[in-house]
Amino acid sequence: MTVIPPIIRSRRVLEITLQDPYEEYKDKPEALPTSEPATPQISFTISSSDLPEFNIEPESVQYIVLVVTSGKNSSGSNGYVYHKMLKNGSELYSRNRYVANNYYWSFECCYYDVSAGDTLAIKMWASVSGFNWDYQLRQVQPTRVGLFGKYICLWECNVIEVTKGPTATQGSSPYHSDNPFVPVHRCSTGTGKAEGYLDVIDLSPWAPSPTYKLYRLELGDVTNQNSISTAAYTTHHPYVRRNTVPTKWKIRPLDLYD
């Protein structure tokens, strides 16, 4: 009697646990200088405890770090806020934002390809005196998670849980806008900007991209990779763009190989 091995492999459940965001809301706002400071106002080193946890060790993963800063223009006139992103002492990106008097401003610095041991920093200043900052929020998130890469097709590929983050719990009037995660099929001719999802989705059957793996996060990978998103409002303090991170998957590979 000939025994034929199963074509469909056993189901595995992938769980990704994000670490709680770091959040600070200052009791006393800090004035922004009117020229680029020598020392960054924000500087921190990524540790292994900042990284998400996986119940199944991924074959590959890229990490992004989202850092939100926010403050107010109380100068009595209109002006500009400036931000400069640094990684391990080197400049990554700079951007400014026009902010009307009495408006709150928010910057979201999106670092891509970050590892434990990297030091990330942000310098902030304004075009006129009277600008301040009093808020920061940051979180490490995984994108391009690779799992069961030797299989061409996943007979079952079902996202059963998502997590929105980072989420602000402090600030005077926080506001969130949500960005999707983007699964990329191996037959896609583009960069994966096919369709994004803000909630659970059953993709079965699915053939993940060899480049982008199971998914890409929108903010920090598909868009704003090593760059800055900005906002200015009369009420939103801070304004936070959140990613939708697919944090629980049911996966059953099909026994097909490249």
Side-chain angles (χ1 to χ4, degrees), residues 78-95:
N78 303 329
Y80 289 84
V81 175
Y82 300 83
H83 275 47
K84 178 177 286 188
M85 297 169 58
L86 300 102
K87 179 180 179 182
N88 298 324
S90 298
E91 179 182 346
L92 278 183
Y93 189 79
S94 294
R95 185 170 179 182

Side-chain angles (χ1 to χ4, degrees), residues 20-176:
D20 291 336
Y22 173 84
E23 187 175 27
E24 179 190 22
Y25 185 39
K26 296 177 180 292
D27 292 333
K28 183 179 180 180
E30 182 177 325
L32 292 180
T34 54
S35 60
E36 180 180 339
T39 302
Q41 288 94 337
I42 295 174
S43 181
F44 57 94
T45 300
I46 300 297
S47 68
S48 57
S49 62
D50 295 319
L51 303 180
E53 297 178 359
F54 297 82
N55 70 322
I56 303 174
E57 190 67 24
E59 296 165 2
S60 60
V61 60
Q62 291 282 355
Y63 291 111
I64 67 170
V65 181
L66 302 180
V67 185
V68 180
T69 61
S70 189
K72 188 176 184 180
N73 175 8
S74 300
S75 66
S77 62
N78 303 329
Y80 289 84
V81 175
Y82 300 83
H83 275 47
K84 178 177 286 188
M85 297 169 58
L86 300 102
K87 179 180 179 182
N88 298 324
S90 298
E91 179 182 346
L92 278 183
Y93 189 79
S94 294
R95 185 170 179 182
N96 63 69
R97 169 85 194 203
Y98 174 84
V99 183
N101 184 47
N102 282 328
Y103 272 61
Y104 294 106
W105 55 265
S106 294
F107 279 54
E108 192 152 3
C109 299
C110 309
Y111 292 86
Y112 174 80
D113 189 17
V114 175
S115 302
D118 285 338
T119 296
L120 309 181
I122 300 172
K123 292 182 177 183
M124 299 179 282
W125 67 100
S127 59
V128 296
S129 61
F131 278 76
N132 64 60
W133 78 282
D134 60 3
Y135 183 86
Q136 64 168 310
L137 172 72
R138 63 177 184 259
Q139 186 177 49
V140 182
Q141 299 177 348
T143 189
R144 306 193 190 194
V145 175
L147 198 66
F148 310 125
K150 71 177 182 177
Y151 299 103
I152 295 175
C153 182
L154 303 177
W155 182 252
E156 183 178 12
C157 186
N158 188 1
V159 179
I160 59 174
E161 187 175 297
V162 299
T163 301
K164 314 278 188 181
T167 297
T169 61
Q170 302 179 47
S172 58
S173 53
Y175 178 84
H176 302 95

Side-chain angles (χ1 to χ4, degrees), residues 238-257:
Y239 184 100
V240 182
R241 294 180 63 193
R242 300 190 300 186
N243 273 326
T244 301
V245 185
T247 47
K248 192 170 185 179
W249 301 67
K250 289 182 179 178
I251 297 175
R252 193 189 297 262
L254 190 64
D255 202 2
L256 292 174
Y257 308 87

